[in-house]
Amino acid sequence: TASMLGYLYQVRVALLWALQQAKIGEFTVSLETLDDVTFEANGIPLSVLQTKHSVVKKANLTDTSADLWKTLRVWLVGNASGEVPTDTSLFLITTSSITEGTAAQALCAHAPTRNIPNACSRLKQAASTSSNAALQDVFSAFLALSKTDQEKLLHRVIVIPDEGNVAEILSKIESELHWMTLHHQKTALELLEGWWFKRVVHELVN
């Protein structure tokens, strides 16, 4: 069930962000292309999203968190292959919380303490000392970058913690519909999500 809910979460996050982006301008949204969710304008990737979901256990993004490093692994590979442009924003959307003083906090979207050098230093320390065998490849890949390239990568990384889970995020989607539906958000939500899931399935099948 955890994997299934994770995929459904990805689809709902894409819908939420699409509604938010619709206020700004035209775009293309895709799932399972460059990342879990990708937003492009005129064929240029503007932002990619990695979604991490948990409904039973509230995880915490520490400096050695598997969710954090697995996400960095995806982005390091994307950078190396050139698939993701070097000015594309990299978002980690997670239901997990963060602890004060961690690299994840230093990478938060609106944190007054957003601090790239500090995040870089903490992640280098974690990569150098962690004994997690499953993450040694991404530790090595990160440490192989120069300090300048490490900080360039992290400047693009934006962590959004404590996002609602797959059920809770529905209230945010409903709120986004208020500006276009006024008093009929619940009905509009049911109709829109029904269309959205059908469209997602169609695109993935084809």
Side-chain angles (χ1 to χ4, degrees):
T1 56
S3 295
M4 172 67 78
L5 289 173
Y7 284 117
L8 293 174
Y9 184 65
Q10 181 177 325
V11 176
R12 279 186 168 167
V13 166
L15 175 57
L16 172 62
W17 277 57
L19 289 169
Q20 293 169 341
Q21 293 296 314
K23 300 174 184 177
I24 301 171
E26 294 185 1
F27 60 91
T28 299
V29 57
S30 59
L31 285 84
E32 296 295 334
T33 54
L34 295 179
D35 217 317
D36 289 347
V37 184
T38 301
F39 285 90
E40 299 177 73
N42 300 316
I44 301 172
L46 302 177
S47 57
V48 296
L49 283 59
Q50 273 276 312
T51 59
K52 300 296 182 184
H53 179 267
S54 176
V55 74
V56 177
K57 180 182 178 182
K58 190 73 170 179
N60 197 310
L61 287 183
T62 63
D63 293 343
T64 56
S65 166
D67 277 354
L68 177 60
W69 281 100
K70 286 178 180 178
T71 299
L72 288 175
R73 176 192 281 144
V74 171
W75 292 336
L76 281 166
V77 170
N79 279 349
S81 66
E83 289 184 312
V84 181
T86 55
D87 57 350
T88 301
S89 298
L90 311 171
F91 287 90
L92 170 56
I93 316 297
T94 177
T95 54
S96 298
S97 57
I98 56 175
T99 302
E100 186 175 350
T102 59
Q105 185 198 36
L107 296 172
C108 273
H110 305 297
T113 54
R114 182 169 168 84
N115 187 324
I116 302 306
N118 181 48
C120 186
S121 177
R122 295 192 67 90
L123 290 175
K124 285 172 69 175
Q125 175 69 15
S128 301
T129 58
S130 175
S131 59
N132 189 333
L135 298 175
Q136 289 304 313
D137 62 332
V138 65
F139 291 155
S140 297
F142 184 76
L143 293 173
L145 297 176
S146 67
K147 182 179 179 181
T148 298
D149 286 340
Q150 289 171 345
E151 292 192 356
K152 281 183 178 178
L153 172 66
L154 296 179
H155 266 291
R156 300 161 57 202
V157 174
I158 302 169
V159 177
I160 301 182
D162 295 309
E163 187 61 277
N165 65 35
V166 67
E168 296 164 345
I169 203 171
L170 267 182
S171 62
K172 291 191 174 185
I173 296 174
E174 186 176 331
S175 294
E176 289 296 329
L177 295 177
H178 177 74
W179 64 279
M180 65 176 79
T181 60
L182 296 179
H183 305 298
H184 304 286
Q185 294 101 313
K186 291 188 183 299
T187 300
L189 176 60
E190 291 177 1
L191 293 170
L192 177 62
E193 190 171 54
W195 171 84
W196 180 255
F197 271 78
K198 181 179 179 180
R199 183 65 181 271
V200 168
V201 170
H202 177 271
E203 295 299 332
L204 291 175
V205 167
N206 291 279

